[in-house]
């Protein structure tokens, strides 16, 4: 994740948006924290960061990479997202694309995020033209138009969603406040950032 220049640019952009939105000293949940790269950045900027990831392998990497922060309790590992109450939830690098439906997830997150707080997620753009060379992308164009959602047949069952489908699943607990990029950028960028505000 640190070797790819494109991934570094995406990560830096995501972290910058999250840190600009977070009030000073606010607590954050890094949902699907992976190896802890984002969590380490939030903690370094004065935010106590709770980390959750269902993968034991990822948690092992995180424990090693964030050893000092965990020892200082600026990063706190939790077994369930419901084990904390925070100002914000971040989910970087397509964590939410592993869900077939986000309705119950956003309902759960509504019990975690303080009123006025936010969820910031980076998701794979379903419109990304760089994937048009693949048969699965072309085969799902009509599914995207009709349903705003399709799944890629693979072991991980990655799902692609239009922003409106995710926004509908987030309601009534969250409203979509910002989408980055907009317009043609959704076709040229692999990732889109969605900012949801707790209502």
């Amino acid at each position: 994740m640190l070797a790819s220049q494109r991934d570094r640019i995406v990560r830096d952009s995501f972290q910058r948006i999250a840190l600009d939105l977070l009030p000073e000293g606010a607590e954050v949940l890094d949902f699907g924290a992976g190896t802890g790269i984002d969590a380490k950045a939030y903690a370094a900027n004065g935010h106590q960061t709770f980390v959750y990831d269902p993968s034991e392998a990822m948690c092992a990497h995180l424990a090693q990479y964030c050893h000092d922060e965990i020892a200082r309790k600026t990063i706190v590992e939790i077994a369930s997202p419901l084990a904390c109450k925070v100002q914000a939830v971040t989910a970087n690098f397509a964590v939410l694309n592993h869900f077939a439906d986000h309705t119950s997830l956003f309902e759960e997150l509504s019990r975690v995020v303080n009123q006025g707080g936010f969820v910031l997620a980076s998701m794979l753009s379903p419109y990304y033209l760089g994937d048009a060379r693949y048969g699965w992308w072309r085969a799902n164009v009509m599914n995207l138009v009709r349903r705003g959602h399709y799944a890629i047949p693979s072991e991980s069952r990655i799902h692609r969603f239009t922003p409106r489908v995710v926004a509908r699943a987030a309601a009534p607990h969250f409203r979509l406040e910002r989408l980055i990029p907009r317009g043609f950028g959704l076709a040229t960028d692999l990732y889109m950032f969605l900012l949801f505000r707790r209502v």
Side-chain angles (χ1 to χ4, degrees):
M1 295 301 286
L2 291 171
S4 163
Q5 183 179 0
R6 181 178 71 177
D7 286 352
R8 281 202 312 274
I9 291 168
V10 171
R11 186 181 296 284
D12 289 347
S13 298
F14 186 88
Q15 288 178 4
R16 192 165 45 251
I17 293 168
L19 290 168
D20 285 348
L21 288 165
L22 281 166
E24 186 175 349
E27 296 177 329
V28 59
L29 166 63
D30 191 358
F31 182 77
T35 57
I37 298 170
D38 290 334
K40 198 178 188 85
Y42 304 146
N45 280 273
H47 301 286
Q48 184 175 38
T49 305
F50 297 91
V51 290
Y52 169 76
D53 199 295
S55 164
E56 288 184 19
M58 285 296 184
C59 289
H61 283 292
L62 187 148
Q64 188 174 28
Y65 185 68
C66 300
H67 178 269
D68 293 343
E69 291 82 2
I70 292 169
R72 291 195 301 266
K73 295 187 172 12
T74 56
I75 290 180
V76 179
E77 297 176 282
I78 54 175
S80 163
L82 295 174
C84 63
K85 189 79 172 167
V86 295
Q87 186 63 22
V89 173
T90 61
N92 202 357
F93 283 109
V95 170
L96 299 193
N97 288 99
H98 290 276
F99 291 78
D101 186 331
H102 300 102
T103 306
S104 59
L105 173 65
F106 277 105
E107 193 280 326
E108 189 172 90
L109 293 179
S110 73
R111 291 180 268 155
V112 173
V113 179
N114 295 325
Q115 206 79 21
F118 66 88
V119 172
L120 178 65
S122 77
M123 298 183 70
L124 295 166
S125 173
Y127 307 106
Y128 178 56
L129 291 177
D131 288 335
R133 64 187 183 273
Y134 300 116
W136 55 259
W137 191 93
R138 296 189 300 274
N140 281 292
V141 168
M142 289 314 296
N143 289 330
L144 186 64
V145 172
R146 289 183 187 132
R147 298 195 293 270
H149 163 253
Y150 62 86
I152 300 167
S154 66
E155 189 177 318
S156 56
R157 290 290 291 170
I158 293 290
H159 300 263
R160 303 274 180 122
F161 301 89
T162 61
R164 67 178 166 78
V165 168
V166 187
R168 193 163 58 236
H173 310 290
F174 296 87
R175 62 176 169 78
L176 181 60
E177 185 174 286
R178 195 185 312 171
L179 172 65
I180 304 168
R182 301 188 72 86
F184 191 65
L186 289 168
T188 58
D189 291 7
L190 176 58
Y191 292 97
M192 57 184 182
F193 298 163
L194 295 91
L195 172 64
F196 295 93
R197 186 67 62 177
R198 177 77 172 92
V199 294

